[in-house]
């Protein structure tokens, strides 16, 4: 993932290092979380309602540095969420490719057929599937038609995930 650098002041300490340059203590922390100790500190204070300027004053740094720390923290959180989503997709027993232009009301039938082939009994209705699909990928639906090719993943519990096919 490429991060754009911001400002002349840049980051201080562990924020500027890649994993190979971190100390043992920092490396242990980074293997526990995608967030550095400093990023966690900033996020906690922001969650408490403090402004970036207030945090900068408390930590003895600049508002610009706090902004960078917060931005990187949110990027790391988004990366972690994508990683978990990819892992969930790998573990989903039902995976099917659906062509753009397909009537959305055909999709539940396709999912139930794929589940039957694998001997999986889904405890969801067609409407449950359509609601999840619409919630997970609203931009893909154009009235009753799927706008793009997608891959749909479904877990045994009926949780549905959608990925735009390449």
């Amino acid at each position: 993932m490429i991060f754009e650098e911001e400002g002349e002041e840049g980051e201080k300490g562990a924020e500027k290092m890649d994993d190979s340059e971190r100390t043992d203590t920092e490396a242990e922390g980074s293997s526990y979380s995608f967030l550095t100790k400093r990023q966690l500190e900033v996020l906690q204070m922001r969650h408490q309602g403090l402004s970036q300027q207030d945090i900068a004053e408390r930590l003895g740094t600049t508002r610009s540095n706090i902004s960078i720390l917060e931005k990187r923290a949110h990027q790391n959180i988004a990366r972690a969420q994508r990683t978990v989503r990819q892992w969930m997709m790998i573990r989903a027993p039902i995976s099917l490719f659906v062509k753009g232009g397909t009537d959305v009301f055909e999709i539940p039938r396709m999912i139930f057929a794929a589940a039957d082939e694998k001997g999986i009994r889904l405890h969801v209705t067609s409407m449950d599937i359509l609601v999840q699909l619409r919630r997970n990928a609203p931009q893909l639906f154009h009235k009753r038609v799927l706008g793009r090719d997608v891959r749909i993943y479904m877990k045994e519990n009926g949780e549905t995930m959608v990925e735009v096919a390449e």
Side-chain angles (χ1 to χ4, degrees):
M1 176 172 275
I2 299 171
F3 296 108
E4 60 185 62
E5 293 296 324
E6 290 188 13
E8 293 283 321
E9 292 182 35
E11 305 166 39
K12 294 178 178 62
E15 285 301 308
K16 212 169 195 179
M17 297 183 234
D18 68 25
D19 286 338
S20 64
E21 297 171 322
R22 294 181 189 233
T23 65
D24 288 342
T25 305
E26 289 168 330
E28 286 172 18
S30 68
S31 66
Y32 175 74
S33 171
F34 279 111
L35 302 175
T36 65
K37 181 180 174 190
R38 191 76 152 180
Q39 288 171 340
L40 280 168
E41 234 179 330
V42 168
L43 290 178
Q44 287 169 339
M45 286 190 256
R46 288 291 280 161
H47 187 70
Q48 294 167 359
L50 295 174
S51 70
Q52 289 180 342
Q53 187 61 47
D54 292 337
I55 297 169
E57 290 169 8
R58 281 190 182 188
L59 298 180
T61 187
T62 64
R63 191 215 53 82
S64 176
N65 192 39
I66 297 304
S67 177
I68 291 168
L69 285 163
E70 186 174 5
K71 177 183 176 186
R72 293 279 170 92
H74 287 290
Q75 289 172 333
N76 289 343
I77 290 166
R79 183 174 51 167
Q81 289 171 328
R82 285 190 304 273
T83 301
V84 169
R85 184 171 166 77
Q86 289 170 333
W87 176 239
M88 299 297 279
M89 288 177 184
I90 289 168
R91 293 180 40 217
I94 299 170
S95 169
L96 66 123
F97 177 81
V98 182
K99 294 281 294 165
T102 301
D103 184 324
V104 295
F105 291 107
E106 288 295 314
I107 296 173
R109 183 192 57 73
M110 297 166 75
I111 291 173
F112 287 122
D116 288 346
E117 281 180 28
K118 297 197 177 212
I120 298 170
R121 180 170 155 80
L122 296 174
H123 299 283
V124 292
T125 65
S126 293
M127 189 55 71
D128 293 333
I129 292 170
L130 291 172
V131 166
Q132 278 194 67
L133 291 173
R134 178 66 95 169
R135 188 181 314 127
N136 292 342
Q139 73 283 4
L140 297 176
F141 294 87
H142 303 286
K143 297 186 180 179
R144 280 187 52 169
V145 176
L146 195 59
R148 298 179 62 182
D149 295 352
V150 296
R151 181 157 297 280
I152 298 174
Y153 301 88
M154 183 167 279
K155 294 170 46 179
E156 292 95 338
N157 68 0
E159 183 183 345
T160 306
M161 295 159 282
V162 180
E163 176 181 58
V164 175
E166 294 181 19

